[in-house]
């Protein structure tokens, strides 16, 4: 049961199937191009989409909008210091702003930044500095059949081998993303944090968290890691953060707000450099691109997210969605992650080859069937054309992410999601793939236009495959 009740509500708009057909045509079959009002259940992202509490809204009303030293900054700083334990806390307007400041300060052309798995924006910010973002997640993290409870872990052997081979001089920082969003919201164990810490210490390289979903990660540690079951979430969080030198954080996830972020740092000279850049790009260090009211909402959200009843419901809601899809025969990434369920689109539509974008077909199909917006994380996002041969290379996994906003949807909404996915799955033989008719040179998934591929019958080989399903 939800450990809260509604006091303020937001109307959502239903559309008919024929309206959605028209909307899709107009949007070039790209869900990013659909107005939010035309979406019934929006599972595009869990970022910045949380419902705030009465307590947070009350905080909004006591916003102190002084340029320097606002009351809300002091509350924000005190709360973040207490929870994370860092000496310096700098506010930023969102996560990628913190990434920009950190990597501008630390990364030089030719450098490498190891991470369990980089999120797109951390990768882009490192590459923007001429560095290389290195993913060193354990092999099981990329194996859809593995049930490892801490699939998000970094492989310590891979890390140490890399440092030995290339030398610590070109590694300004090691990162750990908690939870590991890019491979399915999978957690990192406390033991792994400790091991990576010992390597970072051995070679004198600072270790930072990309801490967006830190409380969800702590909940998984409590439930899955030996000897952690009796500790409070707050204790586990403090423990996790005691092994790192700093963090970047997007408050749009586990601070339960719609905008905001922060940098936490222990070392004074680094903090000083970041502060100077912060003034240049974000604002004075006591507001960092945010209003006083936003800082207050973050401070209150950081406390609320540590509530174990909230986390139990949150993680349970996501898990239940995943389990009900599995019961219906749909293949999803397992174990189910903290913030989203990922449908394996290749298994969903085995008759659609990757060149015809099965993930896009799932995503568009879910909108058409039930007004649900999801995001394709497959060939549309990652397939690459060789500039010389013109040949396409396709990603190993073809996924569709159903990200669940925090405290927003009820179990009945989730029922609608389950029904819609299963309805689409039942008629999978009728569904065809898509082709791209226009695309931008970079990050094409945001703006590309598509058209359905209209063939009457699935190719013979694919029909055979379907019969086996
Ligand atoms: N790091 C991780 C692990 C993230 O998931 C995100 C955002 C960021 C950094 C950047 O934070 O958006 O505040 O600038 N993830 C969102 C998502 C966008 O949909 O997964 P931001």
């Amino acid at each position: 049961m939800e450990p809260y009740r509604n006091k303020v509500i937001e109307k959502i708009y239903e559309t008919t199937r024929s309206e959605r057909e028209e909307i899709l045509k107009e949007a070039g079959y790209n869900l990013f191009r659909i107005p939010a009002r035309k979406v019934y259940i929006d599972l595009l992202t869990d970022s910045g989409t949380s419902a705030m509490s009465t307590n947070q809204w009350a905080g909004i009303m006591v916003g102190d909008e002084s340029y320097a030293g606002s009351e809300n900054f002091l509350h924000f700083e005190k709360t973040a210091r207490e929870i994370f334990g860092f000496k310096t806390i700098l506010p930023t307007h969102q996560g990628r702003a913190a990434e920009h400041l950190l990597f501008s300060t630390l990364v030089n052309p030719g450098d490498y930044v190891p991470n369990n798995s980089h999120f797109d924006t951390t990768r882009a910010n490192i590459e923007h500095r001429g560095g290389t973002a290195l993913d060193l997640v354990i092999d099981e993290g990329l194996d859809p059949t593995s049930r490892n409870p801490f699939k998000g872990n970094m492989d310590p052997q891979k890390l140490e081998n890399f440092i030995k081979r290339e030398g610590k001089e070109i590694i300004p920082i090691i990162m750990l993303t908690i939870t590991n969003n890019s491979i399915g919201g999978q957690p990192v164990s406390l033991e792994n944090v400790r091991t990576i810490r010992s390597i970072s210490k051995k070679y004198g390289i600072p270790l930072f968290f990309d801490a967006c979903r830190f409380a969800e990660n702590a909940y998984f540690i409590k439930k899955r890691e030996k000897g952690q079951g009796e500790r409070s979430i707050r204790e586990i969080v403090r423990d996790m953060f005691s092994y790192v030198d700093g963090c970047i954080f997007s408050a749009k996830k586990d601070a339960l707000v719609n905008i905001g972020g922060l940098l936490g740092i222990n070392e004074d000279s680094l903090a000083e450099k970041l502060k100077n850049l912060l003034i240049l790009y974000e604002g004075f260090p006591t507001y960092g691109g945010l209003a006083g009211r936003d800082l207050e909402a973050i401070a209150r959200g950081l406390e609320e997210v540590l509530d174990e009843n909230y986390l139990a419901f949150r993680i349970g809601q996501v898990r239940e969605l995943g389990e009900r899809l599995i019961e219906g025969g749909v293949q999803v990434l397992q174990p189910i992650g903290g913030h989203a369920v990922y449908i394996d689109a290749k298994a969903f539509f085995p008759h659609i080859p990757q060149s015809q974008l099965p993930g896009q077909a799932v995503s568009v199909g879910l909108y058409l069937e039930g007004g649900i917006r999801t995001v394709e994380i497959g060939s549309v996002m990652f397939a690459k054309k060789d500039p010389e041969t013109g040949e396409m290379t396709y990603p190993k996994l073809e996924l569709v992410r159903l990200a669940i906003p925090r405290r927003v949807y009820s179990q009945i909404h989730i029922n609608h999601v389950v029904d819609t996915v299963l309805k689409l799955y039942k008629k999978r033989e009728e569904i065809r793939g898509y082709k791209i008719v226009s695309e931008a040179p970079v990050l094409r998934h945001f703006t590309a236009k598509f058209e359905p591929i209209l063939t009457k019958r699935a190719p013979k080989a694919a029909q055979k495959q379907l019969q086996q399903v």
Side-chain angles (χ1 to χ4, degrees):
M1 197 190 284
E2 285 91 334
Y4 45 81
R5 56 184 176 177
N6 300 329
K7 183 169 285 186
V8 176
I9 55 97
E10 179 186 7
K11 186 172 163 58
I12 52 176
Y13 295 87
E14 252 188 295
T15 45
T16 63
R17 195 174 208 283
S18 64
E19 279 169 343
R20 290 195 292 273
E21 262 167 28
E22 280 310 304
I23 293 164
L24 278 169
K25 235 184 252 170
E26 214 166 287
Y29 299 90
N30 185 337
L31 303 186
F32 282 103
R33 303 173 72 103
I34 293 179
R37 237 190 188 223
K38 306 290 183 194
V39 175
Y40 192 37
I41 306 281
D42 204 344
L43 308 184
L44 188 62
T45 180
D46 64 319
S47 177
T49 51
S50 297
M52 292 207 297
S53 65
T54 49
N55 178 46
Q56 285 175 295
W57 279 110
I60 292 274
M61 297 310 291
V62 292
D64 167 2
E65 305 306 341
S66 309
Y67 193 94
S70 103
E71 270 297 299
N72 311 119
F73 171 74
L74 297 175
H75 183 203
F76 163 88
E77 183 186 44
K78 182 169 176 276
T79 310
R81 259 192 200 145
E82 271 169 18
I83 292 174
F84 301 131
F86 297 121
K87 198 168 163 198
T88 304
I89 302 289
L90 300 174
T92 60
H93 82 273
Q94 63 181 82
R96 69 199 70 181
E99 293 161 14
H100 170 224
L101 300 177
L102 184 69
F103 298 135
S104 301
T105 308
L106 292 181
V107 177
N108 290 310
D111 283 348
Y112 283 79
V113 179
N115 200 329
N116 45 355
S117 310
H118 288 274
F119 182 66
D120 323 17
T121 56
T122 56
R123 176 181 304 284
N125 270 297
I126 291 163
E127 289 173 355
H128 185 63
R129 291 286 304 164
T132 303
L134 201 62
D135 288 349
L136 299 180
V137 69
I138 53 171
D139 290 341
E140 284 161 289
L142 299 175
D143 173 3
T145 62
S146 159
R147 298 290 182 270
N148 186 322
F150 291 103
K151 236 176 155 173
N153 283 353
M154 183 187 270
D155 187 328
Q157 205 54 55
K158 284 186 197 166
L159 176 65
E160 191 149 19
N161 290 348
F162 183 79
I163 302 174
K164 278 188 185 152
R165 201 173 63 235
E166 303 294 333
K168 62 178 185 178
E169 297 73 24
I170 56 159
I171 309 169
I173 184 170
I174 300 167
M175 307 281 307
L176 274 176
T177 304
I178 53 169
T179 56
N180 190 337
N181 183 8
S182 303
I183 62 145
Q186 303 293 334
V188 172
S189 69
L190 198 50
E191 190 195 358
N192 190 244
V193 175
R194 286 197 194 108
T195 310
I196 301 302
R197 176 44 157 189
S198 67
I199 298 173
S200 111
K201 264 222 159 114
K202 182 169 162 193
Y203 294 94
I205 306 168
L207 176 63
F208 270 56
F209 279 145
D210 178 348
C212 298
R213 299 173 180 89
F214 74 96
E216 290 172 5
N217 200 97
Y219 185 79
F220 281 120
I221 288 177
K222 181 175 170 99
K223 291 291 159 187
R224 294 181 182 173
E225 195 158 348
K226 233 174 130 190
Q228 300 298 323
E230 297 304 314
R231 301 174 82 191
S232 71
I233 296 295
R234 192 182 287 271
E235 275 176 277
I236 294 172
V237 167
R238 236 354 237 277
D239 203 1
M240 284 157 62
F241 281 79
S242 72
Y243 298 107
V244 295
D245 301 291
C247 78
I248 48 177
F249 176 63
S250 166
K252 298 172 76 171
K253 286 84 170 169
D254 269 355
L256 302 168
V257 291
N258 307 120
I259 196 72
L262 65 81
L263 272 158
I265 322 108
N266 276 335
E267 211 253 315
D268 285 339
S269 65
L270 176 61
E272 212 42 47
K273 282 185 200 151
L274 289 168
K275 210 181 266 184
N276 291 333
L277 269 191
L278 182 77
I279 295 172
L280 191 61
Y281 289 111
E282 291 283 286
F284 192 70
T286 64
Y287 73 87
L290 293 166
R293 54 179 171 265
D294 297 327
L295 293 167
E296 188 59 37
I298 295 171
R300 295 180 186 210
L302 280 174
E303 291 286 349
E304 288 176 17
V305 82
L306 302 177
D307 173 3
E308 202 173 307
N309 289 333
Y310 155 76
L311 284 168
F313 174 75
R314 157 82 180 151
I315 305 283
Q317 187 181 43
V318 176
R319 186 181 55 235
E320 192 178 317
L321 168 61
E323 282 171 356
R324 286 175 61 192
L325 295 184
I326 294 166
E327 268 166 37
V330 176
Q331 281 192 32
V332 304
L333 272 197
Q334 289 190 62
I336 314 287
H339 67 292
V341 173
Y342 295 69
I343 294 176
D344 178 344
K346 274 201 246 176
F348 200 96
F349 289 144
H351 59 294
I352 301 180
Q354 270 188 295
S355 59
Q356 298 183 8
L357 314 174
Q360 190 65 13
V362 173
S363 225
V364 172
L366 294 179
Y367 180 73
L368 188 60
E369 288 302 329
I372 297 167
R373 177 154 65 178
T374 54
V375 66
E376 190 262 13
I377 306 184
S379 294
V380 178
M381 220 179 245
F382 298 123
K384 278 202 177 107
K385 198 188 233 163
D386 187 307
E388 273 161 30
T389 64
E391 214 170 288
M392 293 298 286
T393 49
Y394 293 96
K396 189 170 164 219
L397 296 175
E398 195 77 35
L399 302 172
V400 173
R401 184 178 79 169
L402 284 64
I404 310 299
R406 296 170 180 78
R407 305 193 293 205
V408 171
Y409 292 117
S410 71
Q411 280 310 93
I412 313 241
H413 291 119
I414 298 293
N415 289 349
H416 173 73
V417 176
V418 174
D419 292 348
T420 304
V421 176
L422 298 185
K423 202 160 128 196
L424 183 67
Y425 190 56
K426 282 208 183 87
K427 55 162 86 164
R428 59 193 180 279
E429 290 178 45
E430 296 166 28
I431 308 294
R432 298 290 168 267
Y434 283 80
K435 63 178 178 206
I436 296 180
V437 290
S438 75
E439 60 180 297
V442 283
L443 298 173
R444 65 177 182 177
H445 53 284
F446 288 123
T447 54
K449 289 189 178 171
F450 304 85
E451 265 174 20
I453 295 170
L454 300 168
T455 49
K456 287 211 175 65
R457 282 155 52 88
K460 271 212 173 95
Q463 278 183 3
K464 220 173 164 185
Q465 232 179 334
L466 262 179
Q467 283 158 9
Q468 290 163 0
V469 170

